Amino acid sequence: MPQLLLFFLLFSTIFCGGCFWGQEYPELSGELLPSTPPQPDGLLETGGGAVEIWEDVAEHDWGLKESKIYILPNGDSFHQIRCSFSPEAEAGEVVLDFLRLPQDCSMRRYSQENAEWFVSQLGAGQISSGQYHCSHADGSALLLTPLSYRQQENQMLEYLPEQDGFFRSTAVPDGWRLEFCVPISPGGQAECFYIVSKQALVDWENVAEQELWAGYDFTGANRWCYAGYYYLAPENYIPSGENYFHRLPAAYIAAQCVEKEGRLCASLALPMLHVMLELQNDQG
C-alpha cells in the first residue's frame, strides 16, 4: 500500500482553471469561439506530460448531469458522465453523449456465457447493454452503455438492470452517430464512461491482451462509476441485495492497469487513480 500511495502522490499536482466542457479544443455549440482559448479546470502533471481535466455540471428538467474528461499526454481521452435524476422526473429517455464514428467501424464484445469474442460491423439500430471495443482505420475506443443505479446507505449502489442503457446508431454522412441512451429512473442515477484514441487501444493479435479484456468487464462484478470503483457486495454487507455494489477504497483494478501491458490499460490507469485520490489518507 505505501507504494500505491507514493504513486498517487507523484501524480497529484493539480492547478485549478476555468470551467468548460469539451475535448481538445472544441467548438462551443451555438456560440462564437472565445477570443482566448478555454482553459482546462485542472492540470495533472506527470512524468510523461500534463493531463488536462475538463469538467461540467449542467441542470436539466429531469435532474443534474456531471461530466469529466481527461485529455492524456498520448492524445487519448477518458470521459465520465453521471446523471442524477430528480424523484419528480417524468418517464422518458436521456441521451448522455454521442460519438461520430467512421463507416468502417467494428464492435467487439466478449461473451462470458459462450467464452468467446464476437465481432460485428457497426450499423444502424439499437445495441444492447454491455462493454464494447470499437475499432476502425482512424483509431479505437472502449465504450460502455449507461448503467442505472439507486443510492443506498453506506455509499452503496443498487444496480437497476431493468433500466439498462443502450447505444443507438444512426447513419450520417461518412459514418455513424452513436448515442449513449438511458431510461430515466426517478430518484436514481445513470453512469457511463468511455475512452477514445487515434491509435489501437488493444493489440488483438496479442493473446495476453485478449485474455485480459475477456476478464475485465465493467458491466459485471466490477463497476467504474463517477465516484470511483465499486464491486459486487457480499451477502453479509449492510445493506445487501442481489444487485448491490459497495464502494471500494482499494484501487485494485486501477493498480492492475498500471502493471499490465497495453495502451488501454495505461490510458485507464491515471484517470482512475486520480479519481480515487479522495479515498486515500496519509496511511494510504
Side-chain angles (χ1 to χ4, degrees):
M1 185 59 72
Q3 292 89 344
L4 183 57
L5 175 61
L6 176 60
F7 187 89
F8 281 133
L9 294 176
L10 288 173
F11 292 93
S12 61
T13 305
I14 305 172
F15 302 94
C16 292
C19 182
F20 186 77
W21 154 257
Q23 178 182 353
E24 297 178 346
Y25 181 40
E27 294 185 0
L28 296 174
S29 177
E31 301 179 22
L32 295 175
L33 288 173
S35 56
T36 58
Q39 297 298 310
D41 297 277
L43 290 177
L44 188 61
E45 298 293 347
T46 77
V51 178
E52 294 184 5
I53 305 171
W54 301 81
E55 298 184 72
D56 183 61
V57 178
E59 293 185 359
H60 298 267
D61 54 2
W62 44 257
L64 193 70
K65 176 181 176 182
E66 300 165 273
S67 308
K68 183 182 291 185
I69 302 175
Y70 291 82
I71 307 296
L72 305 174
N74 65 4
D76 296 353
S77 59
F78 179 97
H79 304 243
Q80 290 194 179
I81 301 170
R82 175 171 63 190
C83 289
S84 301
F85 298 113
S86 165
E88 294 78 30
E90 297 182 0
E93 176 188 296
V94 171
V95 176
L96 274 64
D97 206 346
F98 73 91
L99 291 174
R100 290 287 296 268
L101 296 170
Q103 190 72 39
D104 66 338
C105 186
S106 65
M107 302 287 275
R108 182 185 301 258
R109 183 183 183 186
Y110 187 77
S111 167
Q112 298 291 342
E113 181 179 354
N114 298 293
E116 64 177 309
W117 288 97
F118 289 90
V119 184
S120 60
Q121 291 300 119
L122 182 59
Q126 184 170 308
I127 302 172
S128 61
S129 175
Q131 174 174 294
Y132 296 85
H133 295 263
C134 166
S135 301
H136 51 85
D138 299 322
S140 61
L142 173 67
L143 308 174
L144 280 89
T145 56
L147 301 175
S148 296
Y149 301 93
R150 193 176 304 280
Q151 288 277 357
Q152 299 293 349
E153 296 177 338
N154 298 327
Q155 299 188 60
M156 296 184 72
L157 292 177
E158 180 187 5
Y159 169 49
L160 308 175
E162 69 279 3
Q163 296 292 100
D164 266 350
F166 56 92
F167 293 136
R168 180 187 295 117
S169 176
T170 55
V172 295
D174 301 321
W176 309 99
R177 175 187 168 101
L178 190 72
E179 296 179 334
F180 295 68
C181 306
V182 68
I184 292 175
S185 51
Q189 66 192 59
E191 302 257 3
C192 78
F193 81 91
Y194 64 95
I195 184 166
V196 295
S197 176
K198 294 181 180 179
Q199 305 294 327
L201 286 167
V202 178
D203 178 3
W204 295 109
E205 301 299 319
N206 185 320
V207 175
E209 286 196 56
Q210 280 199 45
E211 293 177 347
L212 176 69
W213 289 106
Y216 279 5
D217 185 342
F218 292 103
T219 65
N222 301 286
R223 301 293 172 97
W224 181 258
C225 297
Y226 206 83
Y229 177 42
Y230 286 75
Y231 194 78
L232 191 63
E235 293 181 357
N236 61 342
Y237 274 42
I238 299 175
S240 63
E242 180 181 1
N243 292 309
Y244 278 62
F245 289 77
H246 67 106
R247 192 180 184 191
L248 199 61
Y252 294 129
I253 291 295
Q256 285 289 309
C257 285
V258 173
E259 298 172 356
K260 300 295 184 181
E261 64 178 301
R263 186 184 183 102
L264 180 52
C265 278
S267 293
L268 283 171
L270 201 148
M272 286 182 167
L273 288 170
H274 180 250
V275 168
M276 298 193 73
L277 274 173
E278 65 179 81
L279 298 177
Q280 303 297 307
N281 57 28
D282 57 1
Q283 301 299 313

